[in-house]
Amino acid sequence: MRRIALSLLFLAQCSLAHAEPVHGIAMHGEPALGADYTHFPYVNPEVKKGGRINYGVVGTFDSLNSFVLKGMRTTARGIWDPEYGNLFYESLMSRSSDEPFSLYGLLAETVEWDEDRTFIQFNLNPKARWHDGKPVTADDVIFSFNLLQEKGRPPYNKRLAVVEKMEKVGDNSVRFTFNDKANRETPLILAMSPILPQHAVDPAKFDQTSLEIPVGSGPYKIKSIKPGEKIVYARDPDYWGKDIPAKVGFDNYDEISVTYFLQDSTLFEAFKKGDVDVYPDGDSGHWERAYDFPAVKNGDVVREVFQPGLPSGMLGFVFNTRRPIFADAKVREALSLAFDFEWVNKNLYGGAFKRSQSFWQNSTLGAFGNAADERELALLGPAKDRIAPEILAGTYAMPVSDGSGADRKVLRQAVSLLAEAGYAIKGGKMVDNTGKQLTFEVMTQNEGQEKMAIAYQRALALIGIQMSIRTVDDAQYQARSNSFDYDMIVKAYTSSLSPGAEQFNRWESSSRDAQGSFNYAGVADPDIDRMIEALASARSLEDFQAAVRAYDRLLVAGHYVVPLYHIGEQWVARWTHIGRPEKSPLYGYQLPVWWDARAQ
């Protein structure tokens, strides 16, 4: 046996030694673009760089460090930013927005890995430089992962937990060898991690928020800062990566500013005046009624609708199951039934929305509309016995009310479920067996959420439940979200065609009590843990699809969220001096590839 083991070890080492460098990697299959690709298909490679763009956001900022808990939600936008682009810091590889989950070389020019994904080696681009001109080195990569493990926030602080060995290979490469906790997504997650300059970071001060301008490697430098109000970036003309294929057609402005507003209404007024150039809109009523100002009428502002090829995701009122009142799934289901979506959709949104029934609706990954097959049932195992038959059949849906805001039939269903959980209506109040009324608070952060909450409050009052509403400012909302200090909260769970590591931070047991995690519902369920592991470890598309559907069914069956709505569209208004490519990729519009038409 020992001889066989040694032979296998020798073969494995030979395999590692002969791994071929590749330009890109994909979660499943091969990247769509070959090694000779010159740019991503959704950019304009001929665009002339110049001009400026002004973004607007609601909130404030007090930090330039996105990677620690204190700065998690109050870091200046653009530093490390999926919407505006990673303007300041970079990762080893860059994600294509036109593929479910494919990465191409950025700081790492090439990578090497084996078929079983037991390791990955990043070979750095020798041209890569920090803003101060020093080269990006293998030592920087090792330093970054070690520092983030010690002082970083979730999920960065956990990424070395799946690494058996991190070692420098030659002068310009780093190899990560994985332990048995890793899965097939692990190499891609490491590839998207931020890389920091060892020579310019003081580890002793790293976990503190700061507005001291750091050193990055990205396409922009920080030009000016007004704490809490505005940050301005200037494009670095000496940016090392401006000609590599993954960056062609990106970073097109000479200057990018991000201005902060206390309220969305104030932000929109700034957009109308031209102080903000782009306004993504998520409110159907606002989208229909608010664009009657002169710049729209004369064509200086255009409204556009984008159709991404993405699953619905889930927007909803989230139960904090850490609270005893929400520990029983029957209570959560009853409270979900009581929300009159039809009334809300008609009276608040003009009937613009569709009810969300699952987390991956409108895709082959979703449980809704798709019955569980043998592969999925085998994966669920005994867990299938605690899932309602209609959820397994793919036919489960939230009830459709009469739209009156007081549908007696639906409310009777809710009351019946609450009775099974030990509640009864006495003296007009829904009380438990000690006579205590079912009471909770929903925390909201803006007027739109508050309107939905008021409608919900009114419906619950009809069956004796007291729901209070507390609307808080952005800073308090983020602080209380981080520490799970709420009964109920409104949150959106975006869904991609390649769910993976982000699910650990949203629903896996270890994230339940991790401050700053996205496990807002406080879920700790071994079966959910198994499904997350299964989807992250799946080798074939068939196994992956089965795992995501099974996972979706468990989330729906747990009634952790009162499902709200989705639209399947993206609404964006822009001033016409901001141009964009004709093609929009799989994931929808991409602001980092737009440009200033005045510079063309």
Side-chain angles (χ1 to χ4, degrees):
M1 290 295 294
R2 177 176 171 80
R3 183 176 298 172
I4 293 173
L6 289 172
S7 298
L8 291 173
L9 178 62
F10 174 75
L11 289 173
Q13 290 173 336
C14 290
S15 174
L16 295 184
H18 291 92
E20 292 294 327
V22 293
H23 71 291
I25 55 179
M27 182 62 190
H28 297 108
E30 299 294 327
L33 305 177
D36 60 347
Y37 89 103
T38 57
H39 56 82
F40 287 144
Y42 51 91
V43 308
N44 176 3
E46 306 299 327
V47 66
K48 294 180 181 178
K49 299 184 186 299
R52 59 175 50 87
I53 190 169
N54 303 305
Y55 294 122
V57 295
V58 175
T60 187
F61 73 95
D62 61 9
S63 176
L64 298 179
N65 187 347
S66 304
F67 313 116
V68 296
L69 192 58
K70 289 182 179 179
M72 181 177 178
R73 303 180 202 279
T74 57
T75 300
R77 293 290 305 274
I79 294 288
W80 180 255
D81 198 317
E83 185 175 5
Y84 299 156
N86 297 335
L87 305 180
F88 197 81
Y89 291 113
E90 295 181 300
S91 52
L92 292 160
M93 304 188 79
S94 179
R95 187 169 186 169
S96 169
S97 294
D98 207 32
E99 302 172 51
F101 195 1
S102 293
L103 304 177
Y104 296 85
L106 186 55
L107 286 174
E109 185 175 30
T110 61
V111 298
E112 302 172 36
W113 63 354
D114 62 336
E115 185 177 350
D116 291 332
R117 304 188 185 183
T118 62
F119 81 97
I120 189 167
Q121 178 172 313
F122 298 101
N123 305 314
L124 296 180
N125 193 316
K127 298 178 181 177
R129 292 289 185 275
W130 299 106
H131 289 152
D132 59 9
K134 295 182 182 296
V136 179
T137 67
D139 291 324
D140 290 322
V141 176
I142 293 172
F143 167 79
S144 298
F145 279 93
N146 283 329
L147 179 64
L148 292 170
Q149 179 187 37
E150 180 183 356
K151 295 194 171 186
R153 66 168 174 87
Y156 306 112
N157 60 342
K158 296 181 179 180
R159 290 188 174 168
L160 285 185
V162 297
V163 175
E164 179 181 319
K165 183 167 58 175
M166 176 174 59
E167 58 187 327
K168 183 176 177 179
V169 180
D171 293 332
N172 225 29
S173 300
V174 178
R175 175 175 288 183
F176 296 83
T177 303
F178 304 124
N179 59 33
D180 58 5
K181 297 178 183 178
N183 56 55
R184 293 185 64 77
E185 191 185 31
T186 297
L188 289 85
I189 298 304
L190 297 187
M192 295 193 299
S193 298
I195 303 303
L196 309 172
Q198 182 176 15
H199 68 278
V201 174
D202 182 354
K205 298 180 180 178
F206 184 73
D207 56 356
Q208 302 300 312
T209 58
S210 173
L211 288 172
E212 181 179 346
I213 295 179
V215 175
S217 65
Y220 287 85
K221 295 181 177 180
I222 295 173
K223 179 179 179 180
S224 63
I225 298 173
K226 290 183 179 179
E229 297 180 21
K230 189 172 187 177
I231 182 166
V232 179
Y233 300 89
R235 188 165 57 84
D236 181 2
D238 299 319
Y239 171 52
W240 72 272
K242 60 180 179 292
D243 296 321
I244 67 171
K247 296 299 285 183
V248 169
F250 287 76
D251 315 316
N252 299 320
Y253 308 102
D254 283 346
E255 188 173 289
I256 296 175
S257 65
V258 184
T259 304
Y260 287 73
F261 298 86
L262 294 178
Q263 297 177 329
D264 189 68
S265 58
T266 313
L267 191 165
F268 187 67
E269 288 302 315
F271 172 72
K272 289 167 64 175
K273 292 190 295 183
D275 295 336
V276 170
D277 292 321
V278 176
Y279 186 82
D281 201 327
D283 184 326
S284 64
H286 189 269
W287 183 249
E288 290 297 323
R289 296 188 292 268
Y291 294 85
D292 59 354
F293 52 95
V296 175
K297 295 176 180 178
N298 65 28
D300 289 335
V301 166
V302 295
R303 298 190 302 156
E304 296 184 300
V305 178
F306 298 87
Q307 303 280 351
L310 296 177
S312 63
M314 177 63 75
L315 170 70
F317 290 99
V318 182
F319 298 101
N320 186 355
T321 63
R322 302 171 186 86
R323 300 287 202 256
I325 56 169
F326 295 145
D328 191 329
K330 282 188 179 357
V331 172
R332 301 195 298 269
E333 183 178 5
L335 294 175
S336 298
L337 294 178
F339 181 79
D340 193 332
F341 170 76
E342 282 66 36
W343 187 94
V344 169
N345 194 33
K346 175 185 175 183
N347 290 279
L348 298 186
Y349 305 122
F353 295 120
K354 295 179 180 179
R355 188 80 187 263
S356 297
Q357 308 291 354
S358 83
F359 289 75
W360 280 271
Q361 195 169 332
N362 300 337
S363 80
T364 58
L365 299 179
F368 181 67
N370 296 303
D373 59 17
E374 292 183 6
R375 189 189 303 255
E376 192 180 334
L377 293 173
L379 190 59
L380 283 166
K384 68 179 181 297
D385 299 330
R386 64 185 181 94
I387 299 176
E390 56 268 30
I391 295 178
L392 289 174
T395 59
Y396 175 81
M398 300 301 295
V400 178
S401 77
D402 60 12
S404 66
D407 189 318
R408 292 178 180 272
K409 182 179 178 180
V410 176
L411 291 176
R412 274 198 300 269
Q413 289 179 266
V415 170
S416 178
L417 278 170
L418 287 167
E420 293 180 39
Y423 285 89
I425 297 178
K426 295 181 180 180
K429 297 180 179 180
M430 183 68 70
V431 297
D432 62 16
N433 53 19
T434 69
K436 183 178 180 181
Q437 186 179 16
L438 179 51
T439 303
F440 64 92
E441 177 186 271
V442 60
M443 182 174 72
T444 59
Q445 67 180 140
N446 56 48
E447 184 181 357
Q449 291 181 5
E450 188 176 325
K451 285 180 179 179
M452 284 193 299
I454 290 171
Y456 194 17
Q457 180 187 53
R458 185 168 55 245
L460 290 173
L462 295 173
I463 54 175
I465 297 171
Q466 181 181 334
M467 186 189 91
S468 59
I469 302 168
R470 183 185 296 270
T471 300
V472 300
D473 62 30
D474 187 71
Q476 186 178 354
Y477 187 87
Q478 302 303 348
R480 290 181 61 180
S481 295
N482 281 351
S483 59
F484 314 120
D485 180 21
Y486 49 83
D487 297 333
M488 177 180 276
I489 197 170
V490 182
K491 284 294 178 182
Y493 298 88
T494 56
S495 294
S496 76
L497 293 169
S498 185
E502 77 283 356
Q503 303 302 319
F504 289 91
N505 200 36
R506 292 181 182 182
W507 300 102
E508 204 255 351
S509 297
S510 65
S511 66
R512 181 184 188 274
D513 298 318
Q515 296 264 309
S517 83
F518 297 154
N519 193 339
Y520 299 113
V523 173
D525 182 329
D527 290 318
I528 285 179
D529 294 349
R530 284 195 305 112
M531 293 310 108
I532 297 175
E533 189 61 44
L535 68 88
S537 301
R539 283 178 172 248
S540 70
L541 284 172
E542 294 79 10
D543 286 344
F544 177 68
Q545 177 178 283
V548 180
R549 284 185 182 177
Y551 176 45
D552 195 12
R553 291 184 215 280
L554 285 170
L555 293 178
V556 172
H559 301 286
Y560 302 112
V561 175
V562 180
L564 294 177
Y565 56 77
H566 64 274
I567 53 175
E569 297 177 340
Q570 298 170 335
W571 301 326
V572 184
R574 62 179 170 90
W575 285 79
T576 52
H577 59 253
I578 300 299
R580 67 169 183 84
E582 291 185 12
K583 174 181 171 58
S584 292
L586 181 67
Y587 279 80
Y589 72 92
Q590 302 293 308
L591 294 177
V593 303
W594 293 15
W595 60 79
D596 190 333
R598 297 167 296 192
Q600 303 308 300

